[in-house]
């Protein structure tokens, strides 16, 4: 699946490159007459869910100049944030925004007296994926998902699952629930959904590190997908773009069962609020996990580009400004949607992201 996605990404990026002149990437500092005047190298790390989008963004951005190089290591959101804080990379991709505690610290790449900011660049549903022989369709609600992953429900033919799936041939088999073993923004969003949508069944606080004993751990998005795929009677969670040929559950929202999609993810973000009490240029959102709008899919992640508001090295700031401005532009968002099936930023959120990216120094 991954090799096929790379081919699609390359082809899609080539099409987009033909139309880059006049788009946001060429309006960023260092671009003139449709050709980049920028040169240098940017290194980033973080979200593996963001990986497919980053591959496509980098291919298109580097195509504007032979002097530009961008590297991205999909090592996981937690690892990316740590690398950025310590100065190992110039930017991070993270499915979990910098916390209040992290923001009170210092950032090696940032100018003295300044801090880092979170800019949304990628919005995608998290799929509850499964591999159960004879089961192609699966309906679940938040309480049942919480009980499966907490170990309160251990059999596929448990009455709670049967009640949600009348007529389905659910086996009398033990459920193997697979979780991320690394510090993961996807896990942070998944446990946030469970804690808010099913608070009686899931009593642990949202956390990027899996908070419970039991189950089976796997490293990274690819590791989780491989474990679910190669096992039997398995269930897990991952960015929809990485689900491959696995079964994908529908989640109960209001009175309907909703499949994950880019459109439903966009509806969930549109119905959410910006986190209060942060700097004007920090665009962190609190997702409405308890929506009853059947057009929205509340198990969604907003993935952020974490950057300095002002870099100690002005040349680095100029490169990051151009790259961030490209990612949040309509062109950049279209590329991510084509390569990873994400939901483009829209409306006021899009306008704010473009404004904030342009302010990076």
């Amino acid at each position: 699946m991954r090799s096929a996605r790379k081919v699609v990404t390359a082809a899609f990026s080539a099409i987009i490159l033909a139309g880059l002149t006049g788009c946001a990437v060429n309006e960023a500092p260092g671009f003139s007459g449709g050709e980049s005047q920028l040169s240098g190298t940017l290194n980033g790390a973080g979200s593996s869910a963001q990986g497919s989008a980053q591959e496509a963004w980098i291919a298109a951005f580097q195509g504007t100049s032979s002097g530009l190089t961008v590297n991205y290591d999909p090592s996981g959101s937690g690892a990316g944030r740590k690398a950025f804080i310590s100065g190992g990379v110039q930017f991070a991709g993270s499915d979990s925004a910098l916390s209040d505690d992290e923001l009170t610290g210092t950032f090696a790449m940032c100018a003295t007296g300044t801090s880092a900011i979170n800019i949304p660049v990628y919005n995608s549903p998290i799929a509850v994926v499964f591999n159960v022989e004879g089961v192609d369709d699966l309906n679940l609600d938040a309480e049942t998902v919480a009980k499966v992953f907490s170990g309160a429900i251990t059999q596929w033919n448990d009455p709670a699952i049967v009640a949600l799936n009348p007529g389905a041939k659910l086996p009398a088999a033990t459920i193997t629930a697979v979780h991320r073993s690394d510090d993961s923004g996807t896990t942070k969003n998944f446990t946030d959904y469970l804690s808010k949508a099913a608070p009686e069944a899931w009593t642990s606080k949202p956390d990027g590190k899996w908070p419970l004993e039991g189950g089976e751990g796997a490293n990274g998005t690819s590791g989780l997908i491989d474990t679910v795929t190669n096992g039997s009677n398995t269930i897990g969670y991952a960015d929809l773009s990485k689900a491959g040929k696995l079964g994908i559950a529908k989640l109960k929202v209001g009175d309907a069962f909703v499949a994950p999609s880019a459109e439903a993810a966009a509806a969930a973000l549109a119905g959410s609020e910006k986190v209060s009490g942060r700097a004007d240029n920090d665009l962190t959102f609190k997702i409405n996990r308890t929506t009853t709008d059947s057009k929205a899919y509340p198990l969604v992640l907003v993935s952020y580009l974490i950057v300095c508001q002002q870099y100690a090295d002005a040349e680095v700031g100029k490169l990051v400004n151009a790259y961030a401005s490209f990612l949040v532009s309509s062109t950049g968002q279209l590329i991510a949607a084509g390569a990873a099936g994400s939901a483009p930023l829209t409306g006021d959120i899009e306008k704010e992201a473009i404004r904030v990216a342009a302010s990076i120094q």
Side-chain angles (χ1 to χ4, degrees):
M1 291 296 293
R2 185 169 178 83
S3 61
R5 184 178 291 116
K6 283 186 175 181
V7 172
V8 173
T9 296
F12 192 86
S13 297
I15 293 170
I16 291 296
L17 273 172
L20 278 177
T21 302
C23 294
V25 66
N26 295 312
E27 295 166 2
F31 287 86
S32 175
E35 295 183 0
S36 172
Q37 304 302 309
L38 293 172
S39 63
T41 299
L42 286 178
N43 294 312
S47 165
S48 55
Q50 204 181 105
S52 294
Q54 282 286 352
E55 287 179 4
W57 282 328
I58 289 169
F61 187 74
Q62 289 182 158
T64 64
S65 172
S66 59
L68 284 171
T69 300
V70 182
N71 302 306
Y72 184 78
D73 177 13
S75 52
S77 295
R81 292 197 308 277
K82 289 179 182 177
F84 174 76
I85 291 169
S86 66
V89 294
Q90 286 90 16
F91 70 88
S94 178
D95 304 326
S96 179
L98 288 169
S99 67
D100 290 337
D101 287 343
E102 286 172 323
L103 285 169
T104 61
T106 58
F107 299 89
M109 287 281 176
C110 301
T112 303
T114 67
S115 188
I117 53 175
N118 302 284
I119 306 174
V121 293
Y122 180 83
N123 177 27
S124 179
I126 298 171
V128 177
V129 294
F130 63 92
N131 180 15
V132 182
E133 187 175 356
V135 180
D136 297 321
D137 299 307
L138 185 66
N139 294 329
L140 296 172
D141 57 20
E143 181 178 3
T144 304
V145 175
K147 288 181 177 180
V148 166
F149 280 88
S150 69
I153 290 177
T154 60
Q155 297 291 120
W156 276 108
N157 65 342
D158 186 277
I161 303 177
V162 171
L164 296 169
N165 298 274
K169 296 180 179 179
L170 294 162
T174 300
I175 298 171
T176 298
V178 184
H179 60 266
R180 289 278 291 273
S181 60
D182 55 322
D183 187 344
S184 158
T186 306
T187 296
K188 179 73 173 288
N189 282 275
F190 183 63
T191 55
D192 184 59
Y193 165 73
L194 296 179
S195 68
K196 291 181 171 61
E200 294 184 2
W202 188 270
T203 57
S204 300
K205 293 181 180 180
D207 201 325
K209 296 180 180 179
W210 190 251
L212 303 177
E213 298 293 331
E216 185 168 346
N219 186 60
T221 300
S222 59
L224 185 143
I225 292 295
D226 287 346
T227 301
V228 175
T229 301
N230 296 324
S232 61
N233 301 310
T234 49
I235 189 169
Y237 57 90
D239 186 88
L240 179 61
S241 69
K242 305 295 187 178
K245 295 181 180 180
L246 288 171
I248 298 172
K250 294 180 181 178
L251 297 182
K252 193 171 186 180
V253 182
D255 295 325
F257 288 99
V258 180
S261 68
E263 294 77 13
L269 179 56
S272 302
E273 297 180 353
K274 183 180 172 182
V275 173
S276 61
R278 295 203 166 191
D280 287 343
N281 280 358
D282 187 286
L283 302 181
T284 304
F285 288 87
K286 183 179 181 180
I287 301 297
N288 180 4
R289 305 293 190 187
T290 58
T291 181
T292 57
D293 179 4
S294 61
K295 294 182 180 179
Y297 181 84
L299 180 49
V300 64
L301 63 82
V302 178
S303 198
Y304 298 90
L305 190 74
I306 297 175
V307 297
C308 295
Q309 178 64 78
Q310 181 178 348
Y311 284 82
D313 185 333
E315 291 303 310
V316 172
K318 186 182 294 185
L319 284 174
V320 174
N321 181 310
Y323 189 56
S325 293
F326 175 52
L327 267 54
V328 299
S329 70
S330 58
T331 300
Q333 290 295 294
L334 180 62
I335 287 174
S342 60
L345 302 175
T346 59
D348 291 341
I349 297 174
E350 178 187 21
K351 293 176 183 177
E352 279 292 281
I354 290 172
R355 177 189 65 80
V356 171
S359 75
I360 297 169
Q361 299 178 8

